[in-house]
Structures are given as C-alpha cells and as structure tokens.
Amino acid sequence: MISLWKYHKIPFLFFIVSCIVYLWFAYDITRVETTQLLLLYIVLFVIAFQIIQKTGFNFKLLVIFSIVFRLLFLFAIPNLSQDFYRFIWDGRMIIEGYNPYLFTPDSFIQNGKFPIPQAQELYNGMGTLSASHFTNYPPINQLCFTIAAIFSGQNILGSVVVMRVLIIAADIGTLFFGKKLLERLKLPSNRIFWYILNPFIIIELTGNLHFEGVMIFFLVWSLYLLHSGKWKWAAVVLACSISVKLIPLMLLPLFFGWFTTKKLNDKTETLGLLKLITFYTMVMATTLFLFLPFFSIDFVTNYSKTVGLWFGNFEFNASMYYLARAIGYAITGYNEIAIIGKILPIIAVLIILGFSFFKQNNSLAKLATSMLLALTCYLFLSTTVHPWYIATLVILSIFTNYKFPLVWSLVIILSYLAYSNTDNSENLWIIALEYSIVFSVFIWELCFKKTLPVT
C-alpha cells in the first residue's frame, strides 16, 4: 500500500475527492437540485478521466477504486429515481403468492387492500404512473426483486441493499468477461474502465438501482461465449439477458452474419443456417421457459399492453420523435404520438434488418459495432429515452472505435433538468442542446473521423 501511495499519489487524491462527491450524490443531493447535480456530475467525469490517465492503467488499482465507489452507495436510498419502490413491490408480491403481471398496485390500494408489508409506503413512493400500470419487468429481473424480498421482506432499506449487491456483483462480472473479451479481440484491456469507472454507470445503475447492469453482464458474457465458439451456451446466456431487459431481443437479427460467415483467428468459418436457426430456437425457448411460471392469457394481454405504452403514450428526452411531433402539431394541431409512435419503431426495425443483412457481421468487433449503431438508431427514434437506457451503448462502445456513447453518458445529465419544474416539464432547448452535442459527435465519428479498422 505504501508503494502504491508513493507512485500513485495524484490518483489517490482524485480517488478521495471522488469518494466525497459520490457520498454527496448518494446521501444528500436530490434530482430537483439541478445546479448541484450538474456541477458534481461534471466534476466526477473530469476526475474519472484523470484517474484512468494518471494511474498508468494500473489494473488492480482501478478495480479497487471502481468497487469502492460502488460500495459507497450501499446503504443509500436512491434519490434520483423512484423505480425501486416498484421493484420491491413486485418481489414481495411474488413472496405472498401473487403473480405481479396480473395486478396493478392501484387495484389493491384503491380498494383498501394491503397485500404486502409496507404496501402503502411503497405505493406512495412509486408514483401514480407506475402504480396504475402492470409491471413490465421480465422474469430474471423479477427473480432479483424476489431475492430482495426473501432477505429483507419487512424493510425498504434492506431490500435496496440486497438489490444493490446484485447489481454490483453483475458489474464485477462485466469487468471480468469484458476484460477477457477485449484480450481475445487484441484490444487494450483497460478500455473496460471507460464503462466500469464511468460516473454515469456508477450513479445510474448502482446508485439508482437500474438493472441494465445485470442485463449487460449477461450480454457481455454471451458475446464472450460466442467468440469462444460456445454458441449454444451463448444462446442460453443471451436469453438470460433478454429476461432481465427486453432490449437485446431486437439485436437478434444481427447474428445472421456471424453464423453465415464467421471470421475467427484470421480464418473464415461458416456455421450455417441450421446452426443459426438452432441458436435462435435456443434463445427463444430459454426465454419462454423463464417466463413460463408467470404465463397466462391475462399475462400476455397485460404485458403486451404495458410494453406498448412505451411507444404510444410515454415521451421523455426524445430526439427525432420530438421533431416529428412538432411537424405533427404544425400540420394537425394535435400531438400525433399515436401515429408517430407506430411509425418510428417500424423504421427502427428496418434499420436493424439493414445492419443484419447488408453488413458483414462476421467478427465480434463488427458485430458489436452493428449492435452499437443499430441500438443508437433505435434510441434516436424512441419516444422515451431515460438516462439509464444508454448504458448498453457505453459497454458496446469499448469493443469498437466509437466514443460518442461516452459523450452521451456525460450530457445525458441534462435530461434531469426536467425535474427542476414542479410539473416535471421538459425544456426543449435543453433537450436540443443535449442532442446537438450527441449528433455532432456521432456524425463526425461516422462520416469524418479516420478510425483504425476494427477486425
């Protein structure tokens, strides 16, 4: 330890300052204190960059820093998101023998029923929007909620601690497989710290308890297995990723190129359509198997209705959709989300199919690049882009030459300015500033930047 201090004094000083700021984030600041939020967030980004640069990429030291930063949040109640109240509700519902996909919190509380411990407190915390809709969290996500209920079924903070431990464990798993995959791709293994030490990832996933971190762990593990030639196990693990968050489901067509012409160790090998079909079958069969304990006709109806809300009802921090909405207002005088929300997903699907059949995704780096660009286009076309949605872009970017997700992970904090208003209304000039920066970097990297080829 003395030798570490001797040769890494500046990184340790940055580490101490970061700890203070993270503690401030975890236990004091709220999302309505936007000036503090912005300033502290920028400070953390500057320090994170300095830590990575000044340590000379001392891998063990950076691992220790990244774990300590996460542990600082361990006993903090999330103060930038209220979603965790619904997580706890769902987990306790399962423990009490209820299928969480069949009941809304409103259906109990508004009828004077309290099916779980601390039901009223959880109901008040989750907000009216969440309470009025059926849950949309897939089965492995529900498993995490249930584990929290098993270990702490009577205490909200206890449930938060359990879920946070699961997310931290997932991040450590991402660190492990991400490093191994980078090494297999002959890319610098220290790239993983642009994800692991990214303040956005630490705050949004560990701090705010968003389970994208668990989804990403399974996704990276699946890609590692795929590159190792264990495509059957990759299919099973990918299904686990889908069963945490549905986002990886839209990436399935991109595997077409991998199975039709796969380039590995400078050799081209064709796995064939039969193995591709087997891969897809295993992914879907495993996913359906994981949903099976909750299956019923009402489940299908409720779940599809809830997922559909994200395309036809909700809107937050959007880009192309807000432009289309403005045009709709100019032409009809109404918010045409019902129509636009159906058209934009179709465009996104066509883009994904284009990346699937017209790009040669025959190496892991090319596959990751197509995943990154396809998912980016999807988010550009989405009606709702919460900050934690871009976490997948950040992890995929480390396997590519693109850095725009890192820029987005910095400017995404601007979306929190909406909470400075009593009605949580967005300032479209702020949204325009965010996306002007993101689009500028994206277009520059896509069209003008000379990048080294990724093979």
Side-chain angles (χ1 to χ4, degrees), residues 57-71:
F57 291 107
N58 184 312
F59 199 90
K60 291 183 179 179
L61 188 60
L62 292 176
V63 169
I64 292 171
F65 285 178
S66 64
I67 293 175
V68 171
F69 290 155
R70 285 162 168 78
L71 291 176

Side-chain angles (χ1 to χ4, degrees), residues 416-435:
Y416 276 101
L417 292 178
Y419 299 107
S420 62
N421 306 311
T422 54
D423 59 351
N424 294 341
S425 60
E426 294 178 283
N427 184 327
L428 294 183
W429 288 108
I430 298 295
I431 301 299
L433 174 61
E434 173 194 343
Y435 281 104

Side-chain angles (χ1 to χ4, degrees), residues 308-374:
L309 290 172
W310 297 101
F311 299 100
N313 292 76
F314 301 153
E315 48 186 29
F316 180 79
N317 192 40
S319 56
M320 302 303 293
Y321 162 70
Y322 281 170
L323 292 176
R325 186 185 67 177
I327 294 172
Y329 270 124
I331 296 173
T332 67
Y334 298 98
N335 185 346
E336 299 291 349
I337 186 173
I339 298 174
I340 301 169
K342 290 181 175 66
I343 295 174
L344 293 182
I346 294 174
I347 297 174
V349 169
L350 293 175
I351 291 172
I352 292 171
L353 292 177
F355 278 108
S356 302
F357 299 117
F358 297 105
K359 286 188 69 69
Q360 289 189 334
N361 301 317
N362 57 358
S363 72
L364 204 290
K366 290 179 180 178
L367 178 61
T369 299
S370 290
M371 287 181 170
L372 171 63
L373 296 178

Side-chain angles (χ1 to χ4, degrees), residues 176-444:
F176 177 77
F177 286 111
K179 176 180 180 291
K180 290 173 74 71
L181 185 54
L182 285 167
E183 290 171 345
R184 290 184 67 92
L185 296 174
K186 296 180 173 57
L187 295 171
S189 60
N190 52 43
R191 282 191 180 191
I192 191 64
F193 291 108
W194 295 114
Y195 174 84
I196 293 296
L197 273 177
N198 191 316
F200 161 75
I201 296 297
I202 295 171
I203 292 168
E204 284 296 346
L205 306 189
T206 301
N208 294 340
L209 289 183
H210 293 298
F211 279 81
E212 272 71 11
V214 179
M215 176 202 75
I216 286 168
F217 160 65
F218 284 118
L219 178 62
V220 173
W221 185 12
S222 175
L223 293 176
Y224 172 77
L225 289 169
L226 191 68
H227 192 265
S228 303
K230 301 174 182 177
W231 58 271
K232 291 181 181 178
W233 282 112
V236 174
V237 175
L238 182 60
C240 292
S241 183
I242 294 169
S243 298
V244 179
K245 297 283 184 175
L246 296 181
I247 285 294
L249 192 63
M250 71 175 65
L251 302 177
L252 282 179
L254 297 171
F255 289 92
F256 174 82
W258 178 270
F259 280 85
T260 51
T261 54
K262 177 180 66 117
K263 185 179 180 182
L264 186 61
N265 297 326
D266 298 323
K267 296 180 180 179
T268 300
E269 174 189 353
T270 300
L271 293 176
L273 288 176
L274 180 59
K275 290 183 178 179
L276 174 65
I277 294 170
T278 304
F279 177 81
Y280 285 150
T281 301
M282 291 183 68
V283 171
M284 299 311 298
T286 304
T287 303
L288 292 174
F289 175 78
L290 292 170
F291 272 99
L292 193 60
F294 304 100
F295 184 80
S296 71
I297 298 301
D298 288 338
F299 157 76
V300 174
T301 302
N302 296 343
Y303 197 74
S304 58
K305 183 188 300 181
T306 303
V307 171
L309 290 172
W310 297 101
F311 299 100
N313 292 76
F314 301 153
E315 48 186 29
F316 180 79
N317 192 40
S319 56
M320 302 303 293
Y321 162 70
Y322 281 170
L323 292 176
R325 186 185 67 177
I327 294 172
Y329 270 124
I331 296 173
T332 67
Y334 298 98
N335 185 346
E336 299 291 349
I337 186 173
I339 298 174
I340 301 169
K342 290 181 175 66
I343 295 174
L344 293 182
I346 294 174
I347 297 174
V349 169
L350 293 175
I351 291 172
I352 292 171
L353 292 177
F355 278 108
S356 302
F357 299 117
F358 297 105
K359 286 188 69 69
Q360 289 189 334
N361 301 317
N362 57 358
S363 72
L364 204 290
K366 290 179 180 178
L367 178 61
T369 299
S370 290
M371 287 181 170
L372 171 63
L373 296 178
L375 186 55
T376 298
C377 291
Y378 164 75
L379 291 176
F380 284 162
L381 295 168
S382 294
T383 61
T384 304
V385 183
H386 287 297
W388 52 94
Y389 289 8
I390 72 167
T392 311
L393 302 185
V394 176
I395 190 62
L396 288 173
S397 70
I398 72 170
F399 303 110
T400 77
N401 287 322
Y402 291 100
K403 300 296 185 291
F404 70 87
L406 300 179
V407 176
W408 201 352
S409 70
L410 170 61
V411 299
I412 193 75
I413 193 67
L414 292 172
S415 66
Y416 276 101
L417 292 178
Y419 299 107
S420 62
N421 306 311
T422 54
D423 59 351
N424 294 341
S425 60
E426 294 178 283
N427 184 327
L428 294 183
W429 288 108
I430 298 295
I431 301 299
L433 174 61
E434 173 194 343
Y435 281 104
S436 294
I437 296 171
V438 173
F439 273 103
S440 296
V441 178
F442 175 72
I443 293 171
W444 177 67

